[in-house]
Amino acid sequence: MKSQCEKIIQYIKDFGGITTLQAFQDLGITRLSGRIYDLKRMGYCLKSETVTGKNRYGEKTHYAKYSLEETA
């Protein structure tokens, strides 16, 4: 069985990035920011980008999308 960190890295590789909602819905991970912190401490170079969307009431929202840094 893969750890949460392993699942997140695989998801990012498969889909290009991950948001908190995707982590919860697709992987059952409720504390994505905590796992991102763990991954950075493990040496992964992750970047965060702020994404703008709308909630179910049509109001503007902002959330983070995490992805792997491009390496040279």
Side-chain angles (χ1 to χ4, degrees):
M1 179 183 262
K2 288 184 179 180
S3 71
Q4 288 186 348
C5 289
E6 290 170 327
K7 289 178 185 179
I8 291 166
I9 290 299
Q10 188 61 55
Y11 192 96
I12 291 172
K13 287 179 179 177
D14 290 345
F15 300 103
I18 192 167
T19 66
T20 301
L21 183 60
Q22 291 168 329
F24 179 67
Q25 288 181 328
D26 298 342
L27 304 175
I29 296 171
T30 58
R31 295 232 20 255
L32 179 60
S33 62
R35 300 300 69 78
I36 295 296
Y37 176 82
D38 294 342
L39 286 164
K40 286 181 177 180
R41 287 185 53 137
M42 294 163 73
Y44 285 94
C45 293
L46 295 158
K47 65 180 178 178
S48 170
E49 126 186 44
T50 301
V51 179
T52 302
K54 290 189 178 187
N55 66 18
R56 68 178 62 212
Y57 301 105
E59 300 165 332
K60 194 177 197 181
T61 62
H62 303 282
Y63 52 93
K65 181 175 183 178
Y66 300 97
S67 58
L68 289 168
E69 289 271 356
E70 296 294 323
T71 55

